[in-house]
Amino acid sequence: MSNRKRLLFWGLPLFWGMCLFLATLGLPWLEELFRQIAPGHRQVIYSRDSFALLLGNHLLLVGLAALISISLGLASAVFVTRPYGRDFLPLVTQVASMGQTFPPVAVLALAVPLLGFGALPTIMALSLYGLLPIVRNTLVGIHSIDPALLESARGMGMSPLQVLWQVEMPLAANIIIGGIRTSVTINIATAAIGSTIGATTLGDPVISGLVNGNTAYVLQGAILIGLLAVTADSCLDRLQQWVSPRMDSRT
Amino acid sequence: MIELQQVTKRFGNTLAADAIDLRINQGEFCVLVGTSGCGKSTTLRMINRLIPHSSGLLTIEGQEISQLDEQQLRRRIGYAIQSTGLFPHWPVARNISLVPRLLGWSEARVTERVEELLELLNLPYAEFAHKYPSELSGGQAQRVGVARALAGDPDILLMDEPFGALDPITRETLQNELLRIQRKIHKTLVFVTHDMDEALKLASQIVVMDQGKIIQQASPAELLLNPANDFVAQLLGGEDRGLKQAGLLRVAERMLPLPGPNSLDQAPAIQLHDSLRQALSIMLWHQCQQLRVYEGDSLVGYLPLDRIIRADSHV
Amino acid sequence: MNILPTDRVMPVLSCASLLSFWSLDFLSFQPNRIVPGTGFSADAALGWPWAFCMTALLLFIIAASFTRLRYRHAVQLVCLILLLLQLPLGLAGFSSVQVPDTLPHARTGIASGFWLLLFFAALMLIELQQKMHLSRLKILILLMLPLICLFWVYHTGQIESLALVREYTARSSQFQDALRVHLLLVCGAVGISLLSGFLLVSLMRQWPFIQKFIFGLLNFVQTIPSLALFGLLIAPLGYLASRSEFLQSINVSGIGWAPALIALVAYSLLPISRNIFIALEEVPYAVLESARGMGMSRVQVFLHVRLPLAMPVILEGVRITSIQAIGLTAVAALIGAGGLGSFIFQGLGQAAMDMILLGALPILVMALLADLLFSGLAGLFRNGAKQ
C-alpha cells in the first residue's frame, strides 16, 4: 500500500481520534459557550479531574477488560473446537449466545454485591460480559471454514498448532475482530456507567452533572464518551478490513 | 511399498473397512474403485493416518505406520482431494510450497521447486504464482492441488477423486497429464474414484471394493477378461466391456508389417500408440476395414479389422 | 472396559457445584439492615443431613455420567430439578431457624455459595437441554416445579425475612410503579420503532439511494454509548421545552421520559429496520412471481405472501430490540425516566445490595422472558412456513 492510500484508509479513525484529542484538551477553553447552556451555575467546566485523566482511566479500564476477554475468549473458543474440548462445545456455544441476552447494566450492577465497589469489579464485569461476543464470533469464524480445507491441511502434515495459526486463525480473523469490535463498543458504554459503582471514567462528569442539574457537565462528558466510542469503533472497523485475508491478487 | 494386512476400521457398529489385504508396489498406479460408501476413501485415509485403523497391520516400507510420527509420515506422502483444499488466503506459490517449508527446505530450494512444479503442470510461473485460488478455474486449481501434493517430493501420492468435479474435457486432459507425470517421476500412486473408465485408463492395478471389502484386485486387462462377479461386471459397464478392453490395447500390439494389400493407399491413418478403440471408431466412421499406421510422420505398418477382433488372425 | 465418563461436561459442572457448595458461605444472617451479615456454610445453614442429601444428589449426577444407561441424562435432569427444589425449601428452613419473631428487622441473605450453585445448576440445565434435545418450553415447564415451590414459601410467609423480600415489602408500590414505567418505555420504544421501521424500509425500497445513508446514520447512532446519547439529548430537549407551552403541558423536559424514549427509539431503529429490510428482500423472487401469476393483487401478495414469510426475521429484530431496550431503560433511570434502573442506582448510591438486586434481577428475568417469547414466536412462524 502506498503512503497516500494508507492515509486514506486510516483517515476516518484518524479524524475521530483528532476530534477526541482536541476535545479532551480544548473543552475547558469553551467556558463561555457552556455558560450559555448552564446559566446560573458558578462553575461550568468539570474540574474534579482533568479530562485527559478521565479519558486515560476510561481507556485503561476498557483496555484491560478487552485484554482479559480477548485472551480468555480466544482460549476458550479454541479449546472447545479442539478434539479434547469438544464435549464442552454445545454448552459454551449456548452460554455465549444466551449470555448476551443479559443487559450489561444488570451485569455491572450484580458485580457490586459480589465484588464490591471500585475499578476492579468494573473490570471484572466488563471482561466477563465482553467475553461473550468474542467467544461467539470465534466459534462462528472457526466453524465457517470448509472442513475439507482443514483435512487437507492435516493431510499435508501440518501440526495441530500450525493448522490453528496458519489456517484457522487467518481465515476466521475477520469475524473474530468483528466480535472484538462488538465487545469493545459495549464495554466503552458500560465503563461510562461504571462511574456509578466507583470507577473513575468519562461517565463522572455526566453523573455529577445529572446529580447537580448542571447540563454543561453532562454535555462535556457525553461529547467525550461519544467521540471515544466513535473513534474506537472506526479504528476496529479498519482493523477488521485490514486483517481480512486477501483472497485476490488484484489490488 | 505399502502393505495392508487384515486392516479393519470400525465406526461405532459399522465396518467401513473389513479385513483389507492389499499390497501396493513401488511405482505402481493403484486405483481403488467402487460405489460411494464402499470404504475406498476410508482405506485411502488410513494410509496417511487421517483415519486411524482399528486393527490389522498397515506398513509402509515395512514400518507399521501407527509407530511413526503422524506429521512426519504425512509430509512424506502427497495428498490431493476433490475440493483441492487449497488455502484461499495464500497465493498459488505459497500453497505449493507448504510441504517443502514444513520439511524445512531452504528458501532458494523451495522457490526452485515451485517453479519446477508449475512448469511440470503447464502453469506458467509468471502468470500463476501470485494468483489466489479464487482466481483459478476448476482445472487450474486441481493442477495446483496436484503440484502441492508433489511438492515435498514424496514417494507416495494419495488422491481422492481429484478430478471428480471437473468437466469431461478438463478431466481427460488432467488424466493424460497425470499419466505423463507418472511415467516421468515413477511415484507410487493410490487413487480413489467411482468412475470405472477413469480407473481403466489410469491404473496399473485396480482394486474393486464394496461394503468395506475388496471384491477383486487385478490389472485392467485381467479385470475386463475375468470379472470376479456380477457386481464387478456391472461396474465394468456390461456390454461396453469389449470397447473398454479395446481402449486398453495399443495399435502397436496388433499392427501388421508392410507391405500391405494394394487397396491400402486410400485407407485412413492412425498413430502407433493410439488405442484399438480409436482404430475401431475410425473404421466405423470411414466405413473401411483397414488403417495405415504411422509413427510420427513415417508409415510403419497397417491394421486390418480382423486383427482388432482376434489377435491370432492372419490375413 | 472403558471407565472414562461418556462425557466430561456434567461431572466437571457437578464438581464445581460441590466445590462452591462446600467451600463458600451458603446463606447469611443480618440482625438488621445496617449491620454487616455473618455467613453460614452449607452444613451450618441447613444442618448435616440436608447438606448431605444435596451432596448426594450432585454425586449421583456425576455417577450417572459414568454409566452407559440410555436414560442417564433423564436421571440427571431429575436429580437437578430435585436439587433446585431444595433451594427455596432451604431458604425457608434457614429463616425459620435463624429468625425468631422477636427480631422483626433481622434479615437472611443469599451468599456466594448459593449463587454459584444456582449458576452451575443453570449451566447443567443448559447442557442437559442440548443433550436431550428438549425445547426451551419443556425446560421452562420443568422449572415451574422449583418456581412454584419458591412462590409457595414466599406466599406462606416462610421467607419474609429474606433481605430481598424485606426490601420488596418495604417498597412494593414503588416497585410496581417502576415495573410499569419500565414496561411502558420498552413497549413504547419497540412499538414506535416497529412502525417507523416499516416506514423507513418502504422509503428505502422506493428510493434505494437513501438506503446506504440511513443505515450509515443508524449504525453511527448505535455506536454512541447510551449514557452519552441520553446526556446529549438533555440540552436540546430542555431548550425546546422551555420555549414551547405544549411540550411543557405533556411533561416533556430535558430529563424524564422524553429523552429516554427518543434515545430508545433511536437505538431500536437499526436492528428493527435492518431485519425488516433483510426479511422483505430475502423472500424468494419465484414465490412472489408465482403469487402474482395466480392473480393476487399487490396488497394481497404483501399481506399473504411476503409478510408471513418475512415474519421470523422481523420477530428476530423485535427480539434483539426489546432485549436491548430493557437494558437501556435501566440506564435511562439516571436521567430521571424511572423504571427498575432507579432501584439499581439508588441501591448503588446507598450501598444497599439488596436494593440493587431488587432492580437488577427483574431486569434479567424480563430480558430472558422477552428472549423466550420472541424466539418462540419466530419458531412458530418458521414451522408454519414449513407445513
Side-chain angles (χ1 to χ4, degrees):
Chain A
M1 236 187 306
S2 71
N3 277 338
R4 181 133 170 259
K5 256 190 191 152
R6 199 170 295 150
L7 194 69
L8 274 177
F9 182 76
W10 293 102
L12 197 65
L14 268 177
F15 168 76
W16 288 119
M18 281 303 287
C19 286
L20 177 63
F21 179 74
L22 288 178
T24 310
L25 297 182
L27 277 181
W29 299 84
L30 301 175
E31 195 169 344
E32 278 314 303
L33 187 75
F34 284 115
R35 205 165 284 288
Q36 304 281 316
I37 291 165
H41 281 275
R42 204 168 49 78
Q43 203 179 357
V44 293
I45 300 294
Y46 184 80
S47 56
R48 196 177 307 149
D49 291 302
S50 74
F51 290 127
L53 179 93
L54 293 177
L55 175 66
N57 229 334
H58 201 118
L59 278 175
L60 194 70
L61 282 183
V62 174
L64 278 175
L67 213 64
I68 297 173
S69 26
I70 291 171
S71 35
L72 272 180
L74 281 179
S76 53
V78 166
F79 171 73
V80 298
T81 47
R82 300 307 105 179
Y84 39 82
R86 194 140 294 165
D87 279 357
F88 290 86
L89 180 63
L91 180 70
V92 169
T93 313
Q94 192 67 9
V95 168
S97 69
M98 262 179 80
Q100 282 182 34
T101 35
F102 292 170
V105 197
V107 175
L108 190 71
L110 287 177
V112 176
L114 293 175
L115 304 163
F117 285 91
L120 203 65
T122 312
I123 292 180
M124 291 285 282
L126 293 186
S127 40
L128 203 64
Y129 195 79
L131 204 64
L132 304 173
I134 295 176
V135 171
R136 194 179 140 107
N137 278 38
T138 309
L139 289 177
V140 170
I142 289 178
H143 283 145
S144 67
I145 301 170
D146 180 7
L149 203 65
L150 299 178
E151 204 216 45
S152 91
R154 289 193 301 130
M156 294 285 146
M158 290 176 102
S159 68
L161 218 60
Q162 284 167 331
V163 177
L164 178 67
W165 283 117
Q166 296 183 30
V167 185
E168 290 178 271
M169 282 298 138
L171 287 175
N174 185 10
I175 304 178
I176 295 175
I177 303 269
I180 294 176
R181 187 176 162 191
T182 313
S183 158
V184 167
T185 308
I186 294 174
N187 278 352
I188 286 176
T190 314
I193 303 168
S195 294
T196 58
I197 73 165
T200 313
T201 71
L202 284 173
D204 285 8
V206 181
I207 303 293
S208 133
L210 286 171
V211 171
N212 305 319
N214 189 335
T215 317
Y217 282 7
V218 176
L219 206 58
Q220 288 153 20
I223 289 172
L224 289 177
I225 298 169
L227 283 174
L228 174 62
V230 175
T231 309
D233 185 66
S234 61
C235 267
L236 284 165
D237 173 53
R238 291 307 141 106
L239 189 68
Q240 196 176 353
Q241 289 176 30
W242 192 59
V243 301
S244 294
R246 256 184 68 187
M247 300 195 188
D248 201 312
S249 62
R250 290 174 291 255
T251 42
Chain B
M1 191 179 74
I2 309 167
E3 200 166 8
L4 287 78
Q5 292 171 28
Q6 296 291 306
V7 170
T8 299
K9 177 65 201 178
R10 248 177 242 101
F11 289 114
N13 289 327
T14 54
L15 278 172
D18 188 0
I20 302 277
D21 279 312
L22 181 63
R23 203 181 139 121
I24 304 165
N25 290 319
Q26 167 64 35
E28 195 156 12
F29 198 137
C30 173
V31 176
L32 307 178
V33 69
T35 50
S36 51
C38 70
K40 55 191 194 300
S41 284
T42 306
T43 308
L44 185 83
R45 272 158 224 223
M46 284 193 295
I47 297 174
N48 67 356
R49 280 184 59 186
L50 279 175
I51 297 175
H53 53 283
S54 311
S55 63
L57 279 178
L58 206 170
T59 58
I60 291 177
E61 310 303 338
Q63 284 177 299
E64 166 61 42
I65 57 161
S66 52
Q67 309 292 321
L68 300 172
D69 179 78
E70 194 174 63
Q71 280 130 38
Q72 298 299 337
L73 171 80
R74 288 180 190 151
R75 289 170 196 176
R76 272 172 46 200
I77 301 177
Y79 184 56
I81 56 177
Q82 181 174 345
S83 61
T84 73
L86 293 179
F87 300 151
H89 59 303
W90 286 357
V92 166
R94 178 88 179 79
N95 261 299
I96 295 177
S97 66
L98 172 63
V99 178
R101 277 176 212 269
L102 290 175
L103 290 170
W105 291 13
S106 73
E107 202 58 31
R109 194 171 156 210
V110 169
T111 318
E112 195 188 336
R113 181 70 181 153
V114 171
E115 283 173 15
E116 182 187 326
L117 282 165
L118 281 173
E119 197 187 333
L120 182 71
L121 283 142
N122 290 329
L123 296 165
Y125 183 87
E127 190 184 341
F128 286 99
H130 305 292
K131 280 196 172 173
Y132 283 81
S134 66
E135 300 167 279
L136 302 175
S137 71
Q140 289 164 351
Q142 204 47 262
R143 281 163 199 259
V144 177
V146 174
R148 183 170 74 161
L150 287 170
D153 203 12
D155 298 324
I156 299 166
L157 201 57
L158 306 181
M159 307 181 101
D160 192 354
E161 301 202 32
F163 310 140
L166 302 176
D167 65 83
I169 294 173
T170 315
R171 188 185 316 159
E172 194 173 344
T173 321
L174 277 172
Q175 286 167 351
N176 291 336
E177 288 196 22
L178 188 62
L179 279 174
R180 173 177 63 81
I181 291 167
Q182 162 69 356
R183 277 197 288 269
K184 197 165 162 187
I185 57 182
H186 296 295
K187 303 287 180 196
T188 307
L189 263 97
V190 189
F191 190 107
V192 161
T193 182
H194 61 263
D195 177 359
M196 186 52 98
D197 286 319
E198 190 170 55
L200 289 171
K201 175 167 184 181
L202 297 175
S204 60
Q205 174 93 321
I206 293 183
V207 178
V208 182
M209 292 186 68
D210 188 35
Q211 295 178 349
K213 286 193 175 72
I214 292 183
I215 305 294
Q216 189 175 9
Q217 185 180 349
S219 72
E222 253 176 77
L223 197 74
L224 279 164
L225 276 176
N226 304 309
N229 58 19
D230 287 349
F231 174 75
V232 179
Q234 204 187 341
L235 268 185
L236 285 166
E239 295 183 342
D240 278 345
R241 256 168 66 197
L243 281 176
K244 287 187 176 163
Q245 192 173 8
L248 292 175
L249 296 169
R250 305 289 126 193
V251 170
E253 295 169 43
R254 301 287 175 89
M255 173 190 81
L256 293 175
L258 292 169
N262 294 336
S263 55
L264 199 62
D265 292 352
Q266 285 93 47
I270 194 165
Q271 286 289 327
L272 191 66
H273 58 78
D274 285 338
S275 71
L276 290 186
R277 185 177 176 150
Q278 280 165 295
L280 198 58
S281 173
I282 294 171
M283 286 180 187
L284 285 168
W285 184 249
H286 291 277
Q287 302 187 350
C288 62
Q289 300 209 354
Q290 53 195 4
L291 297 174
R292 285 181 293 166
V293 181
Y294 284 84
E295 185 173 12
D297 291 335
S298 55
L299 187 65
V300 291
Y302 77 104
L303 180 69
L305 179 60
D306 296 1
R307 286 284 292 180
I308 296 181
I309 295 165
R310 287 175 64 92
D312 54 0
S313 110
H314 299 280
V315 179
Chain C
M1 173 70 199
N2 191 356
I3 53 147
L4 283 172
T6 38
D7 79 77
R8 291 171 297 160
V9 182
M10 290 301 286
V12 166
L13 290 175
S14 204
C15 283
S17 313
L18 274 177
L19 207 66
S20 43
F21 183 68
W22 282 105
S23 66
L24 296 170
D25 284 343
F26 192 62
L27 292 166
S28 69
F29 175 77
Q30 276 176 288
N32 58 53
R33 197 182 177 203
I34 294 108
V35 180
T38 43
F40 283 72
S41 65
D43 56 292
L46 302 171
W48 283 102
W50 203 337
F52 272 116
C53 274
M54 288 174 75
T55 310
L57 281 173
L58 285 167
L59 287 174
F60 206 70
I61 290 178
I62 300 179
S65 286
F66 287 84
T67 65
R68 300 207 172 261
L69 280 177
R70 194 136 154 246
Y71 299 109
R72 64 175 188 276
H73 295 311
V75 170
Q76 287 174 329
L77 190 60
V78 170
C79 287
L80 197 59
I81 297 291
L82 282 177
L83 186 75
L84 285 173
L85 265 175
Q86 306 306 310
L87 296 180
L89 294 176
L91 274 178
F94 180 68
S95 300
S96 67
V97 172
Q98 292 295 328
V99 186
D101 291 336
T102 49
L103 288 172
H105 297 292
R107 304 167 151 228
T108 48
I110 295 168
S112 43
F114 191 102
W115 287 122
L116 275 178
L117 184 64
L118 203 60
F119 174 69
F120 289 122
L123 291 186
M124 285 194 264
L125 207 59
I126 295 172
E127 169 71 11
L128 286 174
Q129 183 211 349
Q130 302 266 311
K131 279 270 154 64
M132 300 172 71
H133 306 287
L134 293 174
S135 72
R136 282 209 202 168
L137 199 67
K138 279 187 191 142
I139 288 289
L140 203 69
I141 292 169
L142 276 175
L143 273 181
M144 280 332 247
L145 279 172
L147 285 177
I148 288 171
C149 182
L150 179 67
F151 183 77
W152 175 70
V153 292
Y154 166 74
H155 197 70
T156 51
Q158 293 183 62
I159 54 167
E160 66 177 347
S161 65
L162 188 69
L164 198 59
V165 176
R166 286 239 200 269
E167 209 64 51
Y168 170 73
T169 330
R171 295 183 179 72
S172 62
S173 70
Q174 259 174 295
F175 180 84
Q176 276 150 21
D177 276 347
L179 190 65
R180 209 188 60 239
V181 170
H182 206 108
L183 281 174
L184 266 177
L185 275 173
V186 170
C187 293
V190 174
I192 293 173
S193 45
L194 197 56
L195 286 179
S196 21
F198 270 108
L199 200 73
L200 269 181
V201 170
S202 54
L203 284 179
M204 283 191 276
R205 293 169 62 87
Q206 206 81 35
W207 298 292
F209 62 91
I210 59 167
Q211 179 195 330
K212 214 180 154 192
F213 171 75
I214 289 186
F215 278 131
L217 186 71
L218 292 180
N219 250 320
F220 183 79
V221 171
Q222 196 79 24
T223 324
I224 298 175
S226 49
L227 195 62
L229 191 59
F230 287 135
L232 289 172
L233 282 172
I234 291 178
L237 263 182
Y239 178 78
L240 282 180
S242 67
R243 290 299 169 99
S244 156
E245 294 274 327
F246 169 71
L247 287 180
Q248 278 167 21
S249 71
I250 57 165
N251 219 356
V252 167
S253 67
I255 58 169
W257 66 269
L261 193 64
I262 295 176
L264 285 177
V265 171
Y267 282 124
S268 306
L269 270 177
L270 177 73
I272 283 252
S273 28
R274 188 182 49 202
N275 277 49
I276 295 178
F277 187 79
I278 292 172
L280 292 180
E281 288 292 297
E282 273 184 355
V283 175
Y285 187 74
V287 173
L288 299 176
E289 182 85 277
S290 67
R292 234 172 273 133
M294 291 196 263
M296 289 171 102
S297 71
R298 279 178 66 101
V299 178
Q300 281 172 326
V301 169
F302 185 83
L303 286 181
H304 297 298
V305 181
R306 213 187 255 272
L307 200 59
L309 285 178
M311 219 48 190
V313 184
I314 296 179
L315 280 171
E316 169 69 10
V318 175
R319 185 186 73 89
I320 297 171
T321 308
S322 43
I323 289 169
Q324 184 183 268
I326 288 168
L328 290 174
T329 306
V331 183
L334 282 173
I335 54 163
L340 291 167
S342 49
F343 287 114
I344 295 183
F345 294 114
Q346 268 181 52
L348 288 172
Q350 304 168 10
M353 301 308 163
D354 300 305
M355 203 150 143
I356 300 175
L357 289 183
L358 190 63
L361 288 181
I363 291 176
L364 282 189
V365 173
M366 249 157 97
L368 283 176
L369 285 180
D371 181 44
L372 200 70
L373 175 69
F374 290 114
S375 44
L377 275 179
L380 230 67
F381 269 95
R382 216 165 269 141
N383 287 340
K386 264 187 220 147
Q387 278 158 14

